[in-house]
Structures are given as C-alpha cells and as structure tokens.
Amino acid sequence: MSVTADDIAVELGRTTPLTSIETAQWMIWIDDALMLIGARLGDVTLLDQTKLDYVVRNAVATHVRRPDDATQVSISVDDA
C-alpha cells in the first residue's frame, strides 16, 4: 500500500482538498518523506509497508498541521 492524499485527509479528519495545488503539495510531501526514509534506511520496498505507511501518513499530517514555525505573527503599534 502507498499513502495518498485521501489517506492524509482521513488522518486529519477532513475532506480531501478540492484544489489540485494542495493535493499536489501533499503528494510532494509524501514523496519527500519516502525519499528521506530511504536515504536513512535503504530500499523502502524492503521495509514493513504497513509501518512505513503509518510513519509517512503521520509525518505528512503533522506537516499539514504545522507547515513552518512562523504560524502566527503579532504586530504592535504604539499610538502615543
């Protein structure tokens, strides 16, 4: 089994993105996760696929929830 955008949506508890850009972004993140796992552990086809899918699904879902560290910006203005 391989992870799809639909799997990520289920993990997040929401519907699959309606925009092809967001779906494509999720697929890139899935591919990136597999690439990084492969770089560390070797041929991903030799790994337990159920566990691999779990790790990829959770890594991408976490990335969707928090895409970067700058999620909130506060600006203060002193009118005095």
Side-chain angles (χ1 to χ4, degrees):
M1 180 183 168
S2 62
V3 179
T4 66
D6 290 333
D7 297 325
I8 303 303
V10 170
E11 183 71 28
L12 294 168
R14 66 188 218 191
T15 59
T16 303
L18 297 177
T19 65
S20 60
I21 296 296
E22 191 173 11
T23 300
Q25 183 180 45
W26 289 9
M27 295 307 297
I28 288 173
W29 290 344
I30 290 167
D31 292 341
D32 289 349
L34 288 169
M35 182 259 314
L36 291 172
I37 292 167
R40 177 74 178 213
L41 300 176
D43 187 356
V44 294
T45 62
L46 301 176
L47 300 173
D48 181 318
Q49 295 302 297
T50 302
K51 291 177 183 173
L52 178 63
D53 288 350
Y54 171 82
V55 170
V56 170
R57 196 172 53 246
N58 280 282
V60 174
T62 299
H63 196 60
V64 171
R65 287 184 190 109
R66 292 185 302 271
D68 60 35
D69 293 336
T71 57
Q72 183 176 0
V73 176
S74 297
I75 299 173
S76 298
V77 177
D78 185 4
D79 289 337

